[in-house]
Amino acid sequence: MQPTKKIFACALPFVAGFLLFSGCSKKPSETARTLNIGIQPSAAFIPLYVVRYTEALEKTFAANKQNVRVVWQDFQSGPPMNASLQADLTDVGVIGDVPTVLSLAGGTHMKLAGIPARGADAYALLSRADDSSISSYRDLRGKRIATVFGSTGHNLTKKLLEKAGLGFSDIEFININTNVAEDSLLEGEADAVVIWEPNVTRLVEKGSAKIVAQGSETDLRGTNAFVVREEYMAKNSGLIRTLLAAYAQAASQLEALDGELLEKLSAALAITPEQLQSIISKYDFSVAVTPADAASLQDTIRFLVSIDNLSSEYQIEDFIDTSCLP
């Protein structure tokens, strides 16, 4: 069995039910092509929300007299989106580094077509705002550190410990979901949590937590990806190229968002417009794939192998296809 099959198999019932309920399973007309885009409420994909809310794709296809039906599929996280991609229900999705390398593992029929964002400081180690016992990553010995097992937060925890000359045997590791990070801190279950945006900004501005360390203090890059079904990409390269070009255009205009669009984006991420603008500055939004991006994802693969979440290491470059970059 390929290393990610169990994940996909478990998530498929949810995906099938979701798509049936949302109407995404309806068949398009015989003359129309369909572009099914998976999106999730992560700050790393703000430009894709801009593309969605401005109907940039629909307008471009109409202007070019292309009969393309754009279907937006909302997911809450990477694993169910991966399952939908594997089941050929989603054509292209935006996901973080861990879901990306799991999706590509084992010679699957997926390709990495672009990098929507990278943001090391979108990941942070937080302690309680009033806790003076933790002021840097050097203070972690003997502490209870909570994060999501197998996540980029877990990888950052490993990197911070190593930078301090420590290992997981020097702390108490607690596996949590991000939605309980605040309670874990305030109720004393954990001394610190390692999470990502927009949760970092929510907790800090609420006064529940303070930033102790960020990803940029290590070699973490926080690399995300556009993952596309290989067969779809081969038959519809022009549609993927249009999507990536629209994303790049939206990314270049983030500093000039109007009030109405800011409100929509903020609502999608459950944050304020002011918080949104602050978070945007933590990311390098782009579609280009650099050697540093490939190295970052290769590091993620090694990390997952080290914690037995991936059976063996493979080469990420074997799955990168930049032929649709604008």
Side-chain angles (χ1 to χ4, degrees):
M1 178 177 287
Q2 295 175 356
T4 57
K5 291 300 184 183
K6 290 183 179 179
I7 298 173
F8 298 139
C10 293
L12 276 174
F14 165 82
V15 173
F18 162 79
L19 293 177
L20 180 63
F21 177 79
S22 65
C24 294
S25 60
K26 293 181 181 179
K27 294 182 179 179
S29 66
E30 292 182 359
T31 57
R33 285 184 290 173
T34 301
L35 176 58
N36 296 299
I37 306 171
I39 190 170
Q40 58 175 308
S42 166
F45 312 127
I46 289 172
L48 192 58
Y49 277 98
V50 173
V51 172
R52 180 182 191 176
Y53 294 146
T54 60
E55 298 184 343
L57 282 176
E58 292 85 346
K59 292 174 182 176
T60 298
F61 291 137
N64 294 336
K65 301 187 184 307
Q66 293 174 280
N67 192 1
V68 180
R69 187 171 71 110
V70 179
V71 179
W72 294 94
Q73 301 173 336
D74 291 290
F75 297 89
Q76 287 303 307
S77 62
M81 191 186 300
N82 270 345
S84 188
L85 284 161
Q86 291 290 329
D88 298 342
L89 299 174
T90 297
D91 302 315
V92 55
V94 280
I95 46 182
D97 61 345
V98 169
T100 292
V101 302
L102 288 175
S103 177
L104 301 177
T108 63
H109 60 296
M110 301 293 153
K111 289 293 184 181
L112 190 161
I115 300 295
R118 53 195 69 81
D121 285 346
Y123 300 85
L125 169 73
L126 307 179
S127 68
R128 287 186 301 277
D130 60 355
D131 186 354
S132 60
S133 70
I134 304 178
S135 59
S136 84
Y137 60 84
R138 297 180 181 86
D139 301 322
L140 297 183
R141 186 186 297 275
K143 302 295 185 182
R144 295 164 297 171
I145 313 300
T147 191
V148 180
F149 181 88
S151 68
T152 309
H154 189 176
N155 195 9
L156 176 56
T157 303
K158 180 175 182 287
K159 291 178 181 297
L160 289 171
L161 287 170
E162 289 174 347
K163 191 169 182 180
L166 304 173
F168 282 104
S169 62
D170 295 303
I171 66 167
E172 180 182 343
F173 181 89
I174 303 173
N175 182 25
I176 61 167
N177 292 320
T178 53
N179 59 356
V180 301
E182 182 177 21
D183 290 341
S184 296
L185 279 177
L186 298 184
E187 294 176 8
E189 178 185 353
D191 299 306
V193 296
V194 183
I195 55 175
W196 46 90
E197 294 291 3
N199 302 293
V200 172
T201 294
R202 286 197 196 107
L203 268 61
V204 171
E205 294 200 0
K206 187 177 180 180
S208 301
K210 64 180 180 182
I211 295 176
V212 174
Q214 294 177 289
S216 62
E217 295 178 60
T218 71
D219 62 351
L220 186 85
R221 284 176 60 83
T223 305
N224 300 272
F226 279 100
V227 176
V228 187
R229 291 195 297 112
E230 185 174 12
E231 181 182 9
Y232 186 90
M233 190 172 178
K235 295 179 179 179
N236 301 279
S237 59
L239 302 190
I240 299 301
R241 187 173 295 109
T242 300
L243 169 60
L244 296 179
Y247 188 96
Q249 178 70 13
S252 71
Q253 298 175 341
L254 291 180
E255 293 184 0
L257 297 174
D258 62 43
E260 181 180 355
L261 193 51
L262 272 174
E263 290 290 344
K264 288 183 178 180
L265 294 169
S266 301
L269 298 180
I271 54 178
T272 68
E274 293 74 21
Q275 289 173 332
L276 178 75
Q277 291 174 314
S278 173
I279 290 172
I280 285 175
S281 66
K282 295 186 177 183
Y283 288 94
D284 171 21
F285 294 104
S286 167
V287 292
V289 184
T290 70
D293 295 325
S296 172
L297 293 170
Q298 196 66 44
D299 173 78
T300 301
I301 292 171
R302 286 192 294 270
F303 162 69
L304 291 176
V305 171
S306 75
I307 61 171
D308 295 323
N309 260 23
L310 200 57
S311 59
S312 61
E313 186 172 348
Y314 67 92
Q315 296 304 306
I316 192 69
E317 296 211 5
D318 292 342
F319 296 90
I320 296 176
D321 185 339
T322 59
S323 61
C324 291
L325 289 178

